[in-house]
């Protein structure tokens, strides 16, 4: 019943899609972490206005579905004269959305650090920025690896939504192949398999990273 | 303005007071610590001795009075009519003369012993990695941990961790070392090695303020023992005066409790 004979011909196309999916996911994780760290600091700031802004940012990007965010940027921004290429819009959307979640993951990490760590760093003369960069962040990242890996996997899957704005990532390519060959089963099954493999690899990478970092830090 | 006494103390605490909400935890405390003096702060829990030490490090903001570290005002600008907190830079400048050792060690778990000791040398004193490592190894050797330089805190015993923490502070060459119950979190068997390092420091002439429950250490090493109770200095004197002389009832009671707790044979 299933006929995978068209698959070899479609492989280069699928590979293009995989690359786009990986690119979008990677950008989402990187952008999410970078903006996430900044937002996290804002969220933990002692200034009310800064904290409020971060809180607003988080609720906005967490509260609106990614698909709707994509539609808004893709279809509505041009109406008010802002034209951004689809790929840029899509990357920004998924990255900013990711950052809202990353903020909260990282905040959990910051809050779990003993306050004494910061005090001892202050007492040897490190300034606030150095404390953040060399004392807190490395530990926060280590503590939040499980959460970050989890988010990365969610982002790989969320990147499939970007097919809706015409970016030819894995889901979009599979849709095209499925309809042009009249073989939905074969191509969607293949896509499912590829997503599963990508995410299994991310998950394995996470375990490896955790084991490697924790080998010496937690005896 | 900066008021200096004739002998120019390293730490000069004048009329310090401090409140948490409506509870006053320090009431007009006066202390001065001369170069090479070892001062032990003793007292029941809640007496304010740790708070006093943390205020001297400005990890807590004192509310009234003044603190001078080597003649420099700590934490506040007093040259205007209104008292204002200093900038972090100014605060760090005054703090450069102080090293602090904490009850919970507060080592950075993602760095080796050597990394803990050299981090500030590289970041603050701008040593090259090589210079910093050289100095780091030398200081770790001084606290008896030459062989443990590449170990992470989790691979060290509590006593070793505390010695790394002492080495970390010493690396910055402070003129006064503050110890906040440095042996309270340790297994009884590991207390000795930390106290030994502290004794060595004292005999080398390091100025030290030590909050401690180790009366033996206070009796043997301190030049001055200060007994605090309910945020006030009740008695201040040499170990002989404190432990053997006439005592106010509160101190008598405190020492008796200590003796009872530690007596295990008759």
């Amino acid at each position: 019943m299933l006929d995978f004979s068209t698959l070899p011909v479609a492989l280069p196309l699928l590979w293009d899609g995989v690359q786009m999916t990986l690119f979008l996911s990677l950008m989402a994780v990187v952008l999410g972490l970078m903006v996430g760290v900044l937002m996290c600091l804002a969220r933990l700031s002692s200034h009310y206005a800064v904290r409020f802004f971060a809180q607003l940012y988080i609720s906005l990007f967490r509260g609106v579905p990614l698909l709707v965010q994509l539609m808004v940027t893709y279809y509505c921004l041009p109406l008010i004269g802002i034209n951004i290429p689809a790929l840029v819009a899509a990357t920004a959307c998924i990255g900013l959305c990711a950052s809202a979640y990353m903020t909260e993951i990282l905040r959990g990490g910051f809050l779990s650090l003993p306050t004494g760590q910061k005090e001892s760093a202050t007492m040897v003369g490190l300034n606030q920025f150095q404390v953040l960069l060399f004392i807190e962040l490395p530990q926060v990242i280590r503590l939040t690896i499980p959460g970050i890996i989890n988010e990365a996997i969610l982002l790989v899957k969320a990147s499939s939504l970007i097919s809706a704005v015409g970016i030819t990532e894995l889901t979009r390519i599979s849709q095209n192949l499925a309809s042009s060959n009249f073989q939905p089963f074969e191509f969607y099954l293949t896509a499912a398999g590829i997503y599963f493999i990508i995410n299994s690899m991310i998950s394995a990478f996470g375990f490896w990273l955790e084991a490697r970092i924790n080998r010496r830090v937690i005896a | 303005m900066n008021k200096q006494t004739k002998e120019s103390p390293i730490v000069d605490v004048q009329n310090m007071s401090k409140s948490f909400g409506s509870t006053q935890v320090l009431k007009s405390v006066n202390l001065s610590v001369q170069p090479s003096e070892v001062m032990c702060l003793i007292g029941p829990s809640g007496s304010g001795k740790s708070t006093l030490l943390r205020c001297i490090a400005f990890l807590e903001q004192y509310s009234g009075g003044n603190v001078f570290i080597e003649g420099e005002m700590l934490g506040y600008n007093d040259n205007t009519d209104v008292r204002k907190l200093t900038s972090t830079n100014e605060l760090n400048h005054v703090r450069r003369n102080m090293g602090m050792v904490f009850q919970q060690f507060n080592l950075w778990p993602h760095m080796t012993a050597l990394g803990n000791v050299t981090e500030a040398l590289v970041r603050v004193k701008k040593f090259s990695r090589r210079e910093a490592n050289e100095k780091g190894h030398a200081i770790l050797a001084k606290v008896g941990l030459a062989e443990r330089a590449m170990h992470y805190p989790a691979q060290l015993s509590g006593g070793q961790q505390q010695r790394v923490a002492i080495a970390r502070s010493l690396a910055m060459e402070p003129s006064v070392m503050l110890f906040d119950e440095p042996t309270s979190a340790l297994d009884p068997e590991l207390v000795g090695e930390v106290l030994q390092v502290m004794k060595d420091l004292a005999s080398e002439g390091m100025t030290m303020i030590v909050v401690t429950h180790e009366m033996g250490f206070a009796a043997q090493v301190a030049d001055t023992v200060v007994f605090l109770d309910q945020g006030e200095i009740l008695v201040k004197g040499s170990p002989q005066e404190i432990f053997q002389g006439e005592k106010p009832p509160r101190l008598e009671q405190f020492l008796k409790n200590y003796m009872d707790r530690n007596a295990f044979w008759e």
Side-chain angles (χ1 to χ4, degrees):
Chain A
M1 184 190 117
L2 290 177
D3 172 18
F4 283 102
S5 60
T6 45
L7 199 56
V9 190
L11 269 182
L13 275 174
L14 282 171
W15 175 237
D16 286 347
V18 169
Q19 282 179 310
M20 180 55 83
T21 290
L22 288 178
F23 169 78
L24 286 168
S25 315
L26 188 69
M27 287 303 287
V29 172
V30 171
L31 212 70
L33 271 177
M34 290 192 323
V35 179
V37 167
L38 293 179
M39 279 299 150
C40 184
L41 294 180
R43 183 78 178 67
L44 296 170
S45 159
S46 51
H47 298 281
Y48 175 76
V50 176
R51 237 175 20 239
F52 179 78
F53 169 75
Q55 188 60 59
L56 189 72
Y57 177 91
I58 294 166
S59 19
L60 212 66
F61 280 95
R62 267 202 323 196
V64 178
L66 179 59
L67 189 56
V68 177
Q69 289 176 34
L70 280 163
M71 295 301 174
V72 169
T73 29
Y74 191 66
Y75 293 110
C76 302
L77 288 187
L79 290 182
I80 53 168
I82 304 172
N83 276 304
I84 18 179
L87 186 58
V88 177
T91 313
C93 264
I94 194 169
L96 295 184
C97 181
S99 73
Y101 290 93
M102 291 290 192
T103 300
E104 290 298 276
I105 295 173
L106 293 171
R107 190 167 68 95
F110 274 100
L111 292 180
S112 69
L113 289 184
T115 48
Q117 299 266 319
K118 210 172 171 172
E119 289 182 349
S120 63
T122 311
M123 287 308 293
V124 289
L126 297 179
N127 63 36
Q128 267 178 309
F129 180 69
Q130 291 170 325
V131 172
L132 173 73
L133 204 59
F134 305 120
I135 307 298
E136 293 187 300
L137 261 186
Q139 296 191 66
V140 166
I141 298 288
R142 172 173 65 81
L143 287 166
T144 52
I145 284 175
I148 293 174
I149 292 292
N150 202 25
E151 181 62 21
I153 290 174
L154 286 172
L155 286 169
V156 170
K157 296 189 290 181
S159 74
S160 67
L161 293 173
I162 291 177
S163 61
V165 293
I167 304 280
T168 48
E169 43 65 71
L170 183 53
T171 300
R172 182 70 174 208
I173 297 262
S174 306
Q175 273 173 347
N176 292 349
L177 287 167
S179 51
S180 59
N181 292 295
F182 305 109
Q183 289 183 312
F185 271 135
E186 287 81 348
F187 284 104
Y188 286 132
L189 272 180
T190 307
I194 295 174
Y195 276 117
F196 181 76
I197 291 169
I198 293 176
N199 283 332
S200 302
M201 279 160 49
I202 294 177
S203 160
F205 171 73
F207 284 125
W208 173 81
L209 200 63
E210 253 183 275
R212 194 190 133 82
I213 292 181
N214 289 344
R215 198 171 46 202
R216 281 175 303 200
V217 174
I218 301 166
Chain B
M1 287 287 42
N2 295 6
K3 196 182 77 186
Q4 297 222 4
T5 57
K6 306 135 263 171
E7 303 148 42
S8 77
I10 302 242
V11 176
D12 196 5
V13 176
Q14 300 167 353
N15 286 317
M16 181 199 275
S17 62
K18 162 82 185 163
S19 304
F20 287 117
S22 59
T23 2
Q24 201 175 9
V25 284
L26 291 175
K27 297 164 197 162
S28 189
V29 170
N30 287 288
L31 274 185
S32 77
V33 184
Q34 306 300 324
S36 293
E37 182 175 352
V38 176
M39 177 180 282
C40 283
L41 306 180
I42 63 171
S45 63
S47 59
K49 54 195 191 304
S50 274
T51 306
L52 171 57
L53 196 74
R54 290 173 59 81
C55 282
I56 293 174
F58 215 68
L59 291 173
E60 306 277 356
Q61 292 176 16
Y62 54 93
S63 32
N66 300 318
V67 177
F68 294 97
I69 308 295
E70 299 223 61
E72 295 172 310
M73 173 110 184
L74 175 77
Y76 294 101
N77 277 323
D78 239 7
N79 39 18
T80 49
D81 292 340
V82 196
R83 190 148 137 130
K84 261 176 48 189
L85 286 173
T86 57
S87 71
T88 343
N89 279 343
E90 288 170 288
L91 179 59
N92 279 342
H93 180 74
V94 180
R95 268 192 189 139
R96 78 192 183 283
N97 293 317
M98 281 189 279
M100 183 150 182
V101 174
F102 300 84
Q103 183 177 355
Q104 301 295 339
F105 329 136
N106 295 345
L107 293 179
W108 307 310
H110 59 299
M111 294 180 192
T112 60
L114 186 65
N116 270 276
V117 175
T118 54
E119 186 67 13
L121 288 175
V122 175
R123 308 288 175 205
V124 182
K125 294 211 161 172
K126 307 294 175 200
F127 278 41
S128 71
R129 264 289 161 210
R130 222 187 44 134
E131 293 168 324
N133 285 349
E134 247 168 57
K135 180 159 187 171
H137 278 295
I139 294 173
L140 282 172
K142 191 177 144 79
V143 298
L145 291 173
E147 308 300 314
R148 296 283 184 272
M150 300 320 277
H151 286 57
Y152 285 82
Q155 298 168 315
L156 299 170
S157 72
Q160 291 170 334
Q161 289 186 53
Q162 192 60 298
R163 285 187 281 153
V164 173
I166 294 173
R168 174 175 63 181
S169 285
L170 287 179
M172 300 306 283
E173 298 181 353
S175 46
V176 55
M177 288 278 285
L178 312 177
F179 292 86
D180 188 5
E181 300 198 25
T183 58
S184 296
L186 294 176
D187 280 352
E189 289 212 329
L190 303 177
V191 169
E193 62 190 57
V194 172
L195 292 183
Q196 188 55 50
V197 169
M198 292 168 64
K199 282 179 194 172
D200 293 346
L201 272 182
S203 65
E204 284 165 25
M206 175 60 79
T207 313
M208 295 160 60
I209 306 180
V210 187
V211 171
T212 188
H213 292 291
E214 296 290 331
M215 296 305 147
F217 177 83
Q220 289 167 39
V221 184
D223 299 301
T224 316
V225 178
V226 173
F227 176 69
L228 274 114
D229 187 40
Q230 297 184 355
E232 282 174 304
I233 294 182
L234 225 60
V235 201
K236 178 159 59 176
S238 69
Q240 282 83 0
E241 290 169 318
I242 296 287
F243 295 117
Q244 283 152 21
E246 277 291 308
K247 308 175 191 59
R250 191 66 192 89
L251 175 57
E252 187 90 57
Q253 182 62 43
F254 174 76
L255 290 175
K256 186 176 177 303
N257 285 344
Y258 179 83
M259 300 300 274
D260 289 350
R261 199 165 60 245
N262 288 284
F264 61 96
W265 200 263
E266 266 311 293

